[in-house]
Amino acid sequence: MSKNGSSSNGSAPTLKIIPLGGLHEIGKNTCVFEFDDEIILVDAGLAFPTDGMHGVNIVLPDMTYLRENCHKIKGMVVTHGHEDHIGGIAFHLKQFEIPVIYGPRLAMSLLEGKLEEAGVSDRTELRTVGPRDVVRFGKYFVVEYIRNTHSMADSFTVAINTPVGVVIHTGDFKIDHTPVDGEHFDLQRLAEYGEKGVLCLISDSTNAEVPGYTPSERSVYPNLDRVFSQAAGRILVTTFASSVHRLNIILDIAKKQGRTVAVVGRSMLNVIAHARNLGYIKCEDSLFQPLHAIRSLPDEKVLILTTGSQGEPMSALTRIANGEHRKIKIR
């Protein structure tokens, strides 16, 4: 409860936390924070259809509540650039405006392209943030961005300061003490909030219920290096397009072993372009060649990086495996 202002029925306003998606499920992470007459959103993702959803391309949460209360929306906080956290934003902007969206550079760079493609760039303003940046929304919400470590570069936990106390929303994370990009989890800042006192912790980490810990992202390097070095012909590699750390490792090994890289799949091309532009992936242009150019190279000098790590029916890898890709045939 709080003495700051009063709600329409005369009682002191309370903080409402309303998850519209992403609770007990992978995908469509969307959370509403409401105090009195103000709302902020944390992320707005999509999910991909399960096998039983025939004719469905993507899955979005029910946004009726936000459509009905769109006049209260003061802005959105984006934690990182994965599709299950930013993939729904363009769709929602077609239904209501969001005055401002704050988020990390990589996420905002990816989001900018999505909004332009959907023709909704004019319905919001994108602003980038860095570690420990503090942003204010309306009268009641002040949000601090706290660096975390995750499978995607440029990922954040957020501390949401409200009139009734602090809510820590971790965003997606994996505590990695040897991150590929050298950007460490800001555990010190989290501890400072812990000392002061936290009203509520909302934590999101895949497999958090499983005992033990997840090895560092760096731990895949030696095995990939060994397997690549033993491959006699071409190498086809797939990973999530958004796993910038993993892409960095693959590209680094390709350069070390003298292989030329061809990138296949729109999302992979898109993420690599944005990540290189912002400095999250560092490699020379000469490492890459278009698909048609690699045909003239010896097989042992080629690495093909492709989308489709989850066997999506229309992905490049699935089409290659089924012999349906126009430019790549398995040998």
Side-chain angles (χ1 to χ4, degrees), residues 10-239:
S11 63
T14 53
L15 175 66
K16 296 178 188 169
I17 302 174
I18 309 164
L20 295 181
L23 201 62
H24 281 285
E25 63 179 347
I26 303 282
K28 61 178 194 284
N29 295 277
T30 306
C31 197
V32 176
F33 289 77
E34 182 174 356
F35 190 87
D36 199 11
D37 60 347
E38 295 187 353
I39 283 176
I40 64 166
L41 294 161
V42 175
D43 293 334
L46 52 76
F48 295 104
T50 56
D51 291 343
M53 299 179 183
H54 302 296
V56 175
N57 292 330
I58 59 161
V59 184
L60 296 164
D62 183 348
M63 302 299 272
T64 308
Y65 184 77
L66 283 179
R67 280 201 304 275
E68 291 169 352
N69 292 276
C70 59
H71 58 285
K72 296 182 180 180
I73 298 173
K74 297 300 172 191
M76 176 184 281
V77 173
V78 166
T79 58
H80 67 286
H82 272 150
E83 280 295 289
D84 58 336
H85 290 259
I86 65 169
I89 296 173
F91 296 94
H92 304 325
L93 284 172
K94 291 179 178 177
Q95 302 175 60
F96 49 81
E97 290 189 12
I98 300 171
V100 62
I101 300 176
Y102 286 96
R105 289 193 311 155
L106 184 55
M108 293 295 98
S109 179
L110 293 167
L111 183 58
E112 189 176 10
K114 290 177 184 294
L115 300 190
E116 282 171 10
E117 199 173 300
V120 291
S121 301
D122 58 337
R123 308 206 64 170
T124 189
E125 182 185 346
L126 302 183
R127 293 187 189 166
T128 58
V129 293
R132 299 199 180 187
D133 279 356
V134 176
V135 295
R136 174 177 284 281
F137 297 91
K139 304 186 292 286
Y140 299 127
F141 295 101
V142 177
V143 178
E144 179 174 355
Y145 276 78
I146 301 168
R147 168 72 73 206
N148 72 21
T149 45
H150 183 36
S151 58
M152 183 167 201
D154 213 7
S155 177
F156 285 88
T157 289
V158 288
I160 302 167
N161 295 271
T162 78
V164 294
V166 175
V167 178
I168 300 289
H169 188 303
T170 65
D172 288 4
F173 72 96
K174 168 179 105 172
I175 295 179
D176 190 336
H177 296 294
T178 55
V180 173
D181 59 3
E183 292 278 352
H184 291 267
F185 203 131
D186 192 353
L187 296 171
Q188 179 190 350
R189 191 70 185 124
L190 270 187
E192 287 171 19
Y193 272 103
E195 288 288 324
K196 287 187 238 168
V198 169
L199 174 69
C200 176
L201 168 69
I202 300 173
S203 180
D204 190 357
S205 185
T206 306
N207 294 330
E209 304 92 342
V210 181
Y213 65 95
T214 306
S216 167
E217 194 67 17
R218 265 187 206 280
S219 64
V220 302
Y221 192 106
N223 276 341
L224 281 178
D225 194 11
R226 180 177 51 79
V227 171
F228 285 13
S229 68
Q230 292 169 355
R234 294 183 304 175
I235 300 174
L236 271 89
V237 189
T238 182
T239 181

